[in-house]
Each structure stands twice: as structure tokens, then as C-alpha cells.
Amino acid sequence: MCNYPANIRDEVRRAYLKAKPYQIRLSNYPFSREKHPRCFQAFWFTQFSSWLEYSPTKDAAYYLPCYLFTMERSRRPGCDAFTFTGFRNWKKSNGKNCAFLNHVGEDPCSPHNNAMKYCDDLLNESVHIDKVMNVQSSEQILNNRLWVKTSIDTVRWLTFQGCPFRGHDETLQSKNRGNFLEMIRILASYNDKVAQIVLENAPKSGKYNSPTIQNEILHVIASKVRSKIHEDIGDSKFFIIVDESRDDSKREQLALVLRFVDNDGFIQECFFDLSHVKDTATLTLKNEIYALLSRHCLDIQNIRGQGYDVSSLCKRNDKLRAAQATEIARMLAIDELETGIGANQIGTLKRAGDSRWGPHFNYICSLMRMFGPTCLVLENIKEDGSTYLQRGDTNVAHKMINSFEFIFSLHLMKEIMGITDVLCQALQQKSQDISNAQNLVSTTKALIQNLRVDGWDNFLENVIGFSKIFEIDILDLSAQFAEGRSRKKRDHVIEEHHYHFDIFNATIDVQLQELDNRFGEQPIELLTLCSTLDPKDAFKSFNVDDICHHV
């Protein structure tokens, strides 16, 4: 048996066993060449074992199960008689030393008895592990296919509609787990079979709803679409349209669109692929386009037209990220930054276009955090800008943000918005305790007033320290103040007085005035009266006289 490949040995054994042992019955068997000749006896087939067989060519007896399941020859003399060499010592076929009985043995775990058990197991195919697993897994396979089909249909629908997949909160307690999971929940509500195998009822080992699975399904669908486009184009000529697109992380990407005439004579314009590029230089675009077309077996020689609309915004973001990474590495080298998990991550400038103050505060913080890399990118644009207008605008912006006045205003806005941000975030919550809101308003007013009275010296020190770090010219605060383009000087007014009272105090006063207008004594008193209607503590704070006083 060892001469057969391992993967077919069981099939060979099963074929031998089904054919039954070779038990030829002859009228005369060959005699041995001994002083007292002996020969094989046909009645041994039934006397010793139904699995005993006889080979006329070798004039030897074998046990078929032992012959089939013995893979190695024994080192003990005579132990291979019924397996490899065959038994022909007929004089030991009787008596207490009968070779047939000794081979079988009385031990249930003897080699012969083990071989017999192997035969029974091999012939009983219904209990084989592969058969049992096939029976048990057939239903699971159908369930898995239904679950995958549900996921595929959901991905297809969301893709065709241009809808996002993920949800902000996909936990079981969330009221909206995102379009993908909510669509599957709707499908499950109309199909009991789907409901039994998806979402919470799906096995933990295979839910088929993770972002990885969603991306894999999208990848397969995209490959099918590209293959169909390639099939429609064939060896015909085509036109390429190249545009710039960026993802949420502002990474610059090359979008490739193919324009061609199909077999029916209609002009088709199909989006084909998207690829990240480090810049929009001519050589970079050429290499990336060539790589995309080659990867999908489209001959570049068949291009008969080209169109490009690629902006440079994402390229600037890439440069900003690179400059920030260099700055972080430099500060880590001189022990100016602490290391740790999640610390010193590379980001970009936040947007400040939202009407709420929260995004403005985040933008100011990100600009202060990335001030050095931002200045470096502006310097690069001044030198390699694509137009005179771009280089001129960049030069003005670079001079402005490197002025002491800009740094002063930047820090002042950060200080004020840092105080009011807690109140802004609290008031934007869906539910808010009135008394807690009152306390936040009072605390915010107190902190701003404290900044006006006692915060000037510490604030000015921070501004000067920041200016020194980035080598910004520090204004001589003891010099006489001059205003306007004409730099007309004002008598008895120095620069420090102007920044302290005309900017610092005046800005804080405006903020305090705005808070008083929105949260004055009368609105606060009305809020207080409303809070007495809270049934907590059995309306303990309710006072009918206070309410009647304002009627």
C-alpha cells in the first residue's frame, strides 16, 4: 500500500475490501518441499477467518486487512508472514502454536484486531467525518450564501444610490446604526429566513457585516464593472479624462474616466478607477495613467484624446503633512515633545466655515499646533507657485501670519473661545438641565471677567514666547503707537496701551456684552422659574409668589 499516493490509499483499500478476499478453492494445493510435505487446506478459510486469502502464485496465505493496513515491515522475524512475505509454514497451522491463532491474538488491540476495526470503519462510510461534516454543514452553507447575498444586495443598492455605508454609532443600543446595517434590518423584517441568520442572530464567527467584508464586496463589484468596461472597449480607440479627487483625509487622488463608442454606436463615458498620487506633476500623472491602463490590459496606443482638470489643493495638504512630520521628528529629537500611544499624530488644518464657534475654535487650535509647517508650505508656494497671482497672494498671507499683531489676535481668540467652548458644547446638547446651564453661563462670565482683570500679564508672556519660538519680530511695546497706513502717531499712547486696552480689553468687553444680551438677568430669572416646574423632589423649589410677581 505504501506504493500508492497517500490521498488515494483509502479508495484502493475500499476497492479490495469490496472485492472480498481471494479464496480460491483447488482440488490439490502445492505441497511443500519438506521431509513430510504439507499443503494449504481450503477449510481454513472458514475455520480461522473469513478475511484469510490464498495466493496461488506465491503459494502463501495472507490476512487481507493486515495486508492493507500494515505500512511498515516489522523488525521481528516472522511478524511479516501474513502481510508482506506471506505465510507458508503449514506445519504450524495446528496445535497450541497455531500461527493463524497466534497472529489474531487474544488482545483486542492486537495488530490484526486493529486492522479489522479499520476495515469496518472504512466500509461504514456513513459515519466518516467528512460525510458527517457535509451533512451538518450543508444547511450552514445555504445560510451563509443567503447572508452573503443579503450583504451583496445591500452594498449594490447603497453604491448605486451613492449613499454612505458606515454609521457614527453602530452599537446595538444605537437608534441609527448606519445605512448598511439599517438596510439589512429592513430586509430581515420582510424575510423570516434572513431574519434568522443576520445581525444579532448571526454566528459570532461569521456575521459578514464588518467594514472589511463591505470593502471586499465593493472590490469584487468594482472589478466586475471594470471588466465589463474593458470588454465593451475591446481593441477600439478611447478617450481619457483625468480629474483630481480627494478623500476625507485630503489625500490627493487621480480619477480616471474613459470615453468610448460602444458596439451599438453610442458614446459612453464611464468612471474607471481611482488612485492616490503624491503630486500632480506631468511625469507623475503619466506614470500613474500608464500603470492603471496596463494593469487592466488597455493599450495606451489606442488613446485618441486626453482631458485634464487636476487642482493643487491636495498636493499642498501632502506637503503640509510632510512638513509636520519633519517638525515632529525635530522636536522629538530635542525632547520638546513627549512620546506615547496616540500622541503627535499627523493631521491637517481644520475647516472654519461652519457657523458655530466650535469649528472656529478647532481651526485656531490646529493652526497654532501646525504653525511652523504652515509657514514652511507657504514659503514653498511663494517660490514654486503656478501663477504670479498665486505667488503674490501667498506672499501677503505669509507676511500677515508672521506678524506680531496676527499672533496676538490668534492667542486672544484661543483664550476667549477656549472659555466659551464648554458653554457652546453644553448648549448644543439635545437635553440640558436648566440649573446646570445657568451655572455654566455664570462660570463662563466669571472666567472671561477674570481674564480681563488678571490675565493680561500671563497672556502677553505667552504671545511673546510663541513669537520667539518661530522667530517672529516682537513689537517694542514701549514705543509710541502709530496707526493706519500713514503710521500717524498718537500722543501719549504706547504700543502696550493700544494692545492692552484697545484690543485685549475691548474684545473681552464685546464678548461679555454678547453674553449679557443673550443671558441677562431677565432671561436667567425666567429660566430659574421654569426650573421650578421640574417634578424632581416633589416640586421643592416651586413658589407661586415668584411666578405671580412676573405675571
Side-chain angles (χ1 to χ4, degrees):
M1 292 304 300
C2 59
N3 294 329
Y4 289 97
N7 59 329
I8 66 170
R9 288 174 185 168
D10 283 347
E11 293 299 324
V12 175
R13 290 176 178 132
R14 190 177 290 111
Y16 271 105
L17 293 174
K18 289 182 177 180
K20 301 298 182 180
Y22 188 71
Q23 297 180 343
I24 184 172
R25 299 178 182 272
L26 302 177
S27 57
N28 294 304
Y29 289 93
F31 283 90
S32 61
R33 299 176 182 179
E34 298 175 326
K35 184 177 181 180
H36 301 285
R38 295 178 177 83
C39 66
F40 182 85
Q41 302 297 320
F43 69 89
W44 290 345
F45 289 137
T46 56
Q47 180 180 359
F48 295 114
S49 175
S50 60
W51 290 105
L52 183 66
E53 61 181 359
Y54 174 78
S55 172
T57 57
K58 293 187 177 182
D59 185 28
Y62 296 87
Y63 273 110
L64 180 59
C66 302
Y67 171 79
L68 294 177
F69 286 95
T70 302
M71 300 300 297
E72 295 181 358
R73 304 192 65 166
S74 175
R75 297 180 180 179
R76 295 175 58 188
C79 291
D80 294 334
F82 290 95
T83 55
F84 288 93
T85 60
F87 174 75
R88 61 176 60 89
N89 192 1
W90 312 125
K91 66 179 180 180
K92 291 187 176 181
S93 58
N94 296 308
K96 63 178 182 179
N97 294 324
C98 176
F100 295 103
L101 298 178
N102 289 338
H103 173 76
V104 173
E106 298 179 357
D107 186 359
C109 296
S110 67
H112 173 84
N113 291 325
N114 285 336
M116 293 294 295
K117 185 176 183 303
Y118 296 153
C119 290
D120 294 338
D121 293 340
L122 187 62
L123 292 176
N124 191 5
E125 297 184 46
S126 61
V127 298
H128 290 182
I129 185 65
D130 57 337
K131 303 296 182 182
V132 175
M133 291 184 64
N134 287 336
V135 172
Q136 294 178 348
S137 63
S138 58
E139 182 179 357
Q140 185 63 40
I141 291 175
L142 294 176
N143 291 338
N144 290 345
R145 288 177 177 173
L146 178 59
W147 187 198
V148 173
K149 184 179 183 299
T150 304
S151 298
I152 292 174
D153 291 342
T154 303
V155 169
R156 290 180 60 188
W157 189 88
L158 293 175
T159 303
F160 290 150
Q161 300 303 320
C163 299
F165 283 34
R166 317 282 195 268
H168 177 69
D169 181 7
E170 295 188 350
T171 60
L172 292 176
Q173 295 76 22
S174 175
K175 295 182 179 180
N176 188 346
R177 302 175 64 186
N179 292 333
F180 181 82
L181 296 178
E182 293 299 333
M183 177 60 69
I184 289 179
R185 188 181 299 279
I186 292 176
L187 294 176
S189 66
Y190 287 93
N191 190 318
D192 292 338
K193 290 184 177 180
V194 174
Q196 294 172 2
I197 59 175
V198 301
L199 300 178
E200 292 78 23
N201 295 328
K204 294 182 179 180
S205 59
K207 293 183 177 297
Y208 300 106
N209 58 7
S210 67
T212 302
I213 294 296
Q214 297 173 30
N215 291 334
E216 289 180 356
I217 296 174
L218 276 174
H219 177 74
V220 172
I221 293 176
S223 298
K224 294 289 185 182
V225 172
R226 280 192 289 266
S227 298
K228 183 61 171 64
I229 295 174
H230 179 249
E231 179 183 344
D232 292 341
I233 295 176
D235 295 329
S236 303
K237 312 303 179 185
F238 58 92
F239 188 100
I240 65 171
I241 302 174
V242 180
D243 199 357
E244 178 272 336
S245 177
R246 62 173 178 169
D247 56 17
D248 290 339
S249 61
K250 298 184 179 180
R251 297 177 67 221
E252 190 169 23
Q253 299 178 109
L254 180 148
L256 181 64
V257 177
L258 301 182
R259 183 180 173 91
F260 59 95
V261 179
D262 61 17
N263 295 330
D264 298 323
F266 293 99
I267 297 177
Q268 302 291 341
E269 194 171 285
C270 303
F271 172 79
F272 192 70
D273 209 342
L274 195 68
S275 177
H276 173 67
V277 290
K278 62 180 181 179
D279 56 51
T280 54
T282 304
L283 183 60
T284 303
L285 294 180
K286 173 189 173 183
N287 293 336
E288 190 61 31
I289 292 172
Y290 182 80
L292 286 176
L293 296 178
S294 299
R295 186 159 59 245
H296 300 292
C297 301
L298 288 170
D299 191 356
I300 196 172
Q301 302 297 329
N302 288 333
I303 296 179
R304 286 300 179 266
Q306 305 175 52
Y308 297 88
D309 184 15
V310 182
S311 73
S312 60
L313 176 60
C314 292
K315 179 172 65 175
R316 306 307 180 195
N317 277 289
D318 286 344
K319 288 187 175 181
L320 182 60
R321 292 172 182 271
Q324 186 185 8
T326 303
E327 179 67 13
I328 290 175
R330 184 188 68 81
M331 297 185 71
L332 288 173
I334 61 177
D335 294 332
E336 288 291 332
L337 287 179
E338 294 183 358
T339 59
I341 298 177
N344 309 319
Q345 295 187 14
I346 298 175
T348 185
L349 294 177
K350 303 294 184 181
R351 293 177 60 90
D354 200 293
S355 59
R356 296 178 178 177
W357 275 38
H360 288 274
F361 177 64
N362 293 333
Y363 171 76
I364 292 171
C365 293
S366 66
L367 178 57
M368 292 183 64
R369 184 175 62 254
M370 302 179 60
F371 188 82
T374 302
C375 292
L376 181 59
V377 172
L378 290 177
E379 290 178 356
N380 293 335
I381 299 176
K382 284 196 306 181
E383 298 177 359
D384 61 5
S386 58
T387 63
Y388 289 109
L389 180 61
Q390 185 185 61
R391 292 194 294 269
D393 292 342
T394 304
N395 185 45
V396 173
H398 184 264
K399 288 183 177 180
M400 181 186 68
I401 70 171
N402 279 276
S403 65
F404 182 82
E405 182 178 2
F406 180 86
I407 301 301
F408 185 92
S409 301
L410 187 67
H411 278 73
L412 181 57
M413 294 182 68
K414 180 178 181 296
E415 288 288 340
I416 295 176
M417 289 187 173
I419 296 174
T420 59
D421 185 63
V422 177
L423 176 61
C424 292
Q425 298 297 329
L427 295 179
Q428 291 171 18
Q429 294 181 3
K430 294 183 178 180
S431 61
Q432 181 60 256
D433 183 76
I434 295 179
S435 60
N436 182 56
Q438 295 173 358
N439 293 333
L440 288 174
V441 171
S442 301
T443 301
T444 301
K445 288 182 177 180
L447 291 174
I448 294 179
Q449 183 63 33
N450 184 63
L451 174 65
R452 186 186 190 280
V453 175
D454 301 321
W456 167 254
D457 293 335
N458 186 58
F459 171 79
L460 183 61
E461 182 180 351
N462 291 336
V463 173
I464 294 175
F466 187 90
S467 301
K468 289 181 178 179
I469 293 175
F470 295 100
E471 300 180 352
I472 297 173
D473 294 336
I474 300 174
L475 198 64
D476 184 4
L477 298 177
S478 61
Q480 189 175 3
F481 172 68
E483 62 180 345
R485 292 185 178 180
S486 62
R487 304 302 296 166
K488 182 180 179 181
K489 296 183 178 180
R490 291 169 54 182
D491 296 337
H492 311 297
V493 177
I494 61 176
E495 293 286 356
E496 182 179 4
H497 181 278
H498 168 69
Y499 278 93
H500 188 173
F501 295 97
D502 296 343
I503 300 179
F504 184 80
N505 285 1
T507 304
I508 293 177
D509 290 342
V510 171
Q511 183 62 46
L512 288 172
Q513 183 64 39
E514 289 294 329
L515 288 174
D516 288 336
N517 292 339
R518 288 168 171 75
F519 305 100
E521 293 183 0
Q522 186 173 1
I524 291 296
E525 192 170 356
L526 289 175
L527 286 175
T528 303
L529 292 176
C530 291
S531 66
T532 63
L533 300 177
D534 188 352
K536 182 173 59 177
D537 297 330
F539 298 96
K540 180 179 180 180
S541 59
F542 179 80
N543 190 328
V544 67
D545 295 333
D546 293 338
I547 296 178
C548 293
H549 177 72
H550 290 276
V551 174

